[in-house]
Amino acid sequence: LYSSGDYGVAGNSGQCISSPVGAVNATFNNGTSGRFNPSFPGTCPYITSVGATQVKNNTNIVTALATGTQPEEACETVIYSGGGFSNVFPLPEYQANAVHHWFADFPPPYGADRFNNSQQTRGFPDLSANGANYVIAIDGNFSLVYGTSASSPTTGSILTLINQARLDKGKSSIGFINPVIYAHPEVLNDITEGGNQGCGTPGFESAPGWDPVTGLGTPNYPKMLNLWVNELS
């Protein structure tokens, strides 16, 4: 697992690409304009890239307690979920259908001058988890933190519980999850609201199914547990 980044469609520290498409040596700016800058290693096809969501503002707590869930959207508080398309890594087979469907059903308002829209490169993130308002304590002082650096280990904790349940049944650990989650997106909560602004643009928008903001959605632990423990060998 690896964080997808906290600057939306911009790269680390909010930098965007100033040099033209195809330039040998890329130049960067402070994130106010230019081409989208996909993160690394969040774009690597051999890791699970984890973006960020947040609980919707003004959520009815009574309804949330009754249903056991709280409505989510892409994180737009302090940070923006890193997402987009690699300029380096090819589109992995496990993700191809999801990416092609997104381009067909929800084409973005940007061209090749803004991002790699060839539909032949790796899209990210793969999934997401809450990235806002984590309470931490240092030397007795409490504060709130934000970031995909919280989303990723939270997802790891959920997967560790699933591993433990499989080991208790004499099964192996789950290993690399990407081929499974793209084949079974129903075990994730689809996120359809919020964007990941950057580089002087609104960025991409969340949409039904996979999108380059929140991926396939957020973990639904009971569904994931049932899939890996009871349905998969």
Side-chain angles (χ1 to χ4, degrees), residues 9 36 83-85 95-110 115-119 121 123-124 182 190-191 194 196 203-216:
V9 294
F36 301 164
F85 298 87
Q95 189 189 43
N97 284 339
V99 168
H100 292 324
H101 283 150
W102 179 79
F103 272 100
D105 297 339
F106 307 100
Y110 313 112
F115 78 106
N116 190 326
N117 66 349
S118 66
Q119 302 188 43
T121 59
F124 76 113
Y182 280 95
D190 193 11
I191 307 301
N196 59 352
F204 297 111
E205 289 293 326
S206 299
W210 180 87
D211 57 68
V213 183
T214 59
L216 294 167

Side-chain angles (χ1 to χ4, degrees), residues 6 10 13 21 32 40 45 54 70 86 89 118 131 155 174 177 183 189 204 233:
D6 297 344
S13 301
V21 177
T32 56
F40 178 82
Q54 66 181 41
Q70 291 180 287
S86 175
F89 296 107
S118 66
T155 303
I174 58 179
I177 71 169
N189 303 313
F204 297 111
S233 61

Side-chain angles (χ1 to χ4, degrees), residues 3 15 25 48 63 69 71 74 78-79 84 88 91 120 143 152 155 158 166 181 206 216 221 226 231:
S3 305
Q15 290 185 328
N25 295 311
T48 299
T63 301
T69 62
V78 180
I79 65 122
V88 177
L91 179 64
Q120 299 299 315
S143 60
S152 185
T155 303
I158 294 169
R166 283 178 58 86
I181 61 174
S206 299
L216 294 167
Y221 175 66
N226 180 66
E231 298 182 21

Side-chain angles (χ1 to χ4, degrees), residues 12-28:
N12 293 339
S13 301
Q15 290 185 328
C16 298
I17 302 172
S18 298
S19 52
V21 177
V24 176
N25 295 311
T27 56
F28 303 91

Side-chain angles (χ1 to χ4, degrees), residues 144-167:
L144 298 176
V145 297
Y146 304 76
T148 50
S149 292
S151 307
S152 185
T154 296
T155 303
S157 298
I158 294 169
L159 298 180
T160 297
L161 293 173
I162 295 171
N163 272 337
Q164 184 61 61
R166 283 178 58 86
L167 294 172

